[in-house]
Amino acid sequence: MKPKQIFEVALGVVTSVGGFLEVGSIATAAQAGAMFGFQLVWAVVLGTLCLIFLIEMSGRLAAISHHPLPAAVRERFGFHYFAMPLLAETVIDLLVLASEIGGVCLGLQLLTGVRFFYWAVPVAFIIWLLLWRGTFSIIEYGVSILGLTTVVFIVAAAKAHPGFHNIGAGFLPTLPGDHKAQYWFLAVSIIGATISPYLVNFYSSGAVEDKWSEKDLVPNRLTAGIGMSFGGTISIAVLVAAVMVFHSRAISIDTYEQIAMEVTAPLGIWGYRIFGIALIIACFGAALELSLDIAYVYAQGFGWRWSEDLQPIEASRFTLVYTIFIFAGCLPIMFGIDPLKLTLFSMAATALILPLIVFPFLIIMNDKRYLRNHTNSVFANAVVCFVILLAAAMAIVAIPLEILGGH
Amino acid sequence: MSKPQKLHLIRDVLDKLLVDRDNVPLGRVDGIVLLLRGEQTQPRVVQIECGMVTLWRRLSIRWADRTYRIGRRLGLRRQRPVRVDWSKIDNIGRELTLDVLAKHSPLLAGERWLLERVIRHIPGNGMKKET
């Protein structure tokens, strides 16, 4: 690799790490650690492994075929099929966007003491303003690099001395004695939070925006592998810190604000402040990516002009989509819906729609008309199929049980 | 002009991206208009069609007609799909290139309407001030 490519990989890894953690991964990992100790580490590992494959595939699709994923799905499967993931992504992205806005508002509540719902409209306005005036590089690099503040969870977990053999034991699935329904619901939520379809779409659209070609395949593979592995490590750190602070003292997490204790207990008042800042930055970055993603999906699916680097007057429909979504996304938080419950539900619902998005993606990734000699290996197909089917099956069973209040 | 001798209409034309001479996206092929000139002759492709009504009709004709009627009652005048003559297609490849320019094309009427009525009134839209 040339020095320029090494720099690009390093930048890609940093942005992947900074952009990995968001409201869903923090909430689900913390809740899992508090309730079930190290028993759900395997769900983070499984989700991260599948995400590595999916991210690498979406970058490869963009580099070889120059098609972002939604455009390829519409062309390959027609509008009849495209309408289904479009509808599903619209609903789920809106729920997740509301959760992310809720995360930013909670971070602001932690730092200022002003209740979270007062922040919903100002936060939505700032997200919109940055998309309206900003460029793709500002969003991709600026916010993601600031997202490295989430490394504070690794520091907090390390300071709590959890013991590596305990974490290692969590890599193998084991069933809890009771609260089985909640165990499976959390496992599904963790996988849903980790394999967010918006990350895959955003990555492929970004690769098309950056005009990737065949020479970018190796940097793509390294960015996906190293970046997502580090991101998964931070998620595990959130879970481990929750075990040490909550599970060991038999404290349950009922509100999002409690999660701050994970960092406050080992690092003191500065830990509390850094947690607030990290939560704001991580959720703000994810909200930007989600808003852009839904605009990408509509614009690419319907063949409109799209690019975050275009001025609003050059891509009116593209800008209209994210404008509507941002302001619709702030409504649930403005009306005071509990961000923690909203987040956990959104993440589990994400797992439910994964097959709709991932299976056509796999078919395209095995189509020589799009990928030429760079189609998927049998191993990559098998790993992704296994994880997605497992997550969907768990979601079908666990979501109704959780809603009915099963144990 | 480059059109393959043999075309698979569903695979090579329907849902494909339409671009103008300068590669500016104009939309997607939402429908194909065929002409039948008698029972003994093969149907001929005469036009392609773009518009939300066409897309709706592909999902459900009944729902598309209902949506169209509701739209008319609400005063939406730009619902009719735009038809483009087959002869205007210059090239069929990864995209379908039309022998038109985006700024004059009726395919972008919705985009222009939105620009004039909404986007240009919001500050910071990238429009240069006239001197």
Side-chain angles (χ1 to χ4, degrees):
Chain A
M1 275 203 307
K2 292 173 186 166
K4 194 184 164 213
Q5 280 185 314
I6 294 171
F7 175 73
E8 279 171 11
V9 171
L11 201 59
V13 168
V14 168
T15 51
S16 305
V17 175
F20 191 94
L21 217 62
E22 40 75 60
V23 71
S25 38
I26 296 173
T28 53
Q31 189 77 274
M35 284 193 78
F36 300 104
F38 297 104
Q39 275 182 301
L40 278 165
V41 171
W42 65 267
V44 183
V45 176
L46 204 61
T48 307
L49 183 70
C50 187
L51 185 66
I52 291 171
F53 279 101
L54 289 173
I55 291 288
E56 189 278 328
M57 285 178 203
S58 65
R60 184 156 34 101
L61 174 70
I64 302 296
S65 77
H66 308 292
H67 275 82
L69 182 56
V73 171
R74 165 108 193 244
E75 286 177 17
R76 178 69 173 74
F77 298 94
F79 185 72
H80 280 94
Y81 184 82
F82 177 73
M84 285 190 288
L86 179 72
L87 184 67
E89 277 191 76
T90 302
V91 175
I92 297 297
D93 277 6
L94 196 60
L95 285 173
V96 181
L97 178 61
S99 308
E100 302 298 347
I101 291 174
V104 181
C105 296
L106 280 170
L108 287 163
Q109 178 181 311
L110 288 173
L111 295 180
T112 62
V114 179
R115 295 280 289 154
F116 69 91
F117 44 80
Y118 290 116
W119 291 106
V121 176
V123 166
F125 180 72
I126 294 168
I127 292 167
W128 173 81
L129 194 63
L130 203 58
L131 289 179
W132 185 260
R133 298 290 293 156
T135 60
F136 187 75
S137 304
I138 291 175
I139 289 152
E140 191 184 22
Y141 299 127
V143 183
S144 299
I145 288 170
L146 288 174
L148 286 179
T149 45
T150 53
V151 173
V152 72
F153 286 105
I154 295 187
V155 178
K159 282 200 83 167
H161 304 294
F164 283 105
H165 59 283
N166 290 327
I167 303 170
F171 277 63
L172 287 176
T174 46
L175 270 179
D178 50 6
H179 300 294
K180 286 194 178 68
Q182 274 173 311
Y183 176 85
W184 289 114
F185 181 75
L186 272 174
V188 168
S189 303
I190 289 172
I191 294 174
T194 311
I195 316 171
S196 303
Y198 84 86
L199 279 177
V200 179
N201 281 341
F202 185 80
Y203 192 82
S204 78
S205 303
V208 173
E209 290 238 35
D210 289 341
K211 297 185 174 56
W212 280 15
S213 63
E214 213 164 326
K215 69 176 171 48
D216 294 299
L217 287 180
V218 175
N220 169 51
R221 201 167 293 160
L222 291 172
T223 305
I226 302 170
M228 297 302 143
S229 300
F230 273 121
T233 308
I234 303 179
S235 273
I236 293 175
V238 176
L239 189 149
V240 170
V243 177
M244 305 312 286
V245 173
F246 299 108
H247 189 69
S248 59
R249 298 179 176 92
I251 303 170
S252 65
I253 296 177
D254 301 316
T255 63
Y256 214 104
E257 299 91 300
Q258 276 178 279
I259 303 172
M261 271 176 66
E262 276 192 26
V263 188
T264 314
L267 299 175
I269 188 66
W270 272 104
Y272 180 83
R273 286 173 190 149
I274 295 171
F275 173 83
I277 293 167
L279 187 64
I280 293 169
I281 294 170
C283 298
F284 191 79
L288 283 173
E289 289 180 5
L290 266 158
S291 312
L292 259 189
D293 172 64
I294 198 71
Y296 282 144
V297 172
Y298 273 82
Q300 291 159 3
F302 290 107
W304 306 337
R305 253 187 127 181
W306 64 273
S307 171
E308 175 52 12
D309 291 335
L310 288 175
Q311 295 288 351
I313 53 160
E314 296 171 291
S316 307
R317 289 177 285 189
F318 175 73
T319 50
L320 180 77
V321 173
Y322 68 65
T323 303
I324 292 172
F325 268 83
I326 291 168
F327 289 101
C330 82
L331 292 178
I333 303 304
M334 198 175 89
F335 289 116
I337 289 179
D338 181 1
L340 183 61
K341 283 187 184 143
L342 182 67
T343 303
L344 292 176
F345 178 76
S346 311
M347 298 306 140
T350 302
L352 204 59
I353 68 154
L354 280 176
L356 264 183
I357 294 155
V358 174
F359 286 126
F361 182 28
L362 282 184
I363 293 172
I364 290 166
M365 290 308 297
N366 287 283
D367 189 333
K368 281 193 185 297
R369 279 184 298 152
Y370 287 88
L371 273 300
R372 302 199 301 266
N373 293 327
H374 299 278
T375 50
N376 271 2
S377 66
V378 176
F379 181 66
N381 287 332
V383 171
V384 174
C385 276
F386 170 71
V387 179
I388 298 302
L389 283 176
L390 182 74
M394 289 193 315
I396 290 167
V397 178
I399 293 175
L401 280 176
E402 178 67 16
I403 291 169
L404 296 170
H407 290 284
Chain B
M1 179 153 157
S2 151
K3 283 181 193 166
Q5 285 295 307
K6 266 192 176 179
L7 266 179
H8 191 304
L9 282 179
I10 306 293
R11 189 192 63 197
D12 302 327
V13 178
L14 193 63
D15 291 308
K16 279 276 159 69
L17 185 67
L18 291 166
V19 294
D20 80 343
R21 277 180 233 151
D22 299 330
N23 239 19
V24 176
L26 299 167
R28 286 191 182 274
V29 181
D30 298 322
I32 297 169
V33 182
L34 299 175
L35 182 69
L36 276 166
R37 280 193 178 147
E39 284 178 13
Q40 300 300 315
T41 54
Q42 291 279 332
R44 266 186 54 219
V45 183
V46 284
Q47 288 170 318
I48 52 169
E49 208 173 68
C50 306
M52 287 310 287
V53 175
T54 313
L55 275 181
W56 270 109
R57 286 179 74 86
R58 282 170 68 185
L59 295 179
S60 158
I61 291 175
R62 204 170 57 175
W63 274 102
D65 291 346
R66 264 186 210 171
T67 321
Y68 181 72
R69 279 200 297 273
I70 293 168
R72 274 181 69 93
R73 272 186 215 154
L74 292 173
L76 293 175
R77 303 252 172 262
R78 293 168 196 277
Q79 295 190 91
R80 284 191 183 282
V82 177
R83 287 187 168 181
V84 179
D85 283 343
W86 186 251
S87 60
K88 287 277 181 197
I89 300 175
D90 229 6
N91 181 48
I92 299 178
R94 209 181 72 190
E95 291 113 13
L96 269 66
T97 310
L98 297 186
D99 185 20
V100 295
L101 278 175
K103 65 177 177 180
H104 303 304
S105 172
L107 289 165
L108 292 185
E111 180 99 17
R112 283 193 290 270
W113 182 89
L114 189 64
L115 173 65
E116 290 303 319
R117 301 288 177 99
V118 185
I119 304 292
R120 69 174 297 162
H121 301 292
I122 305 174
N125 55 23
M127 194 172 267
K128 289 189 180 88
K129 280 183 186 163
E130 287 171 24
T131 51

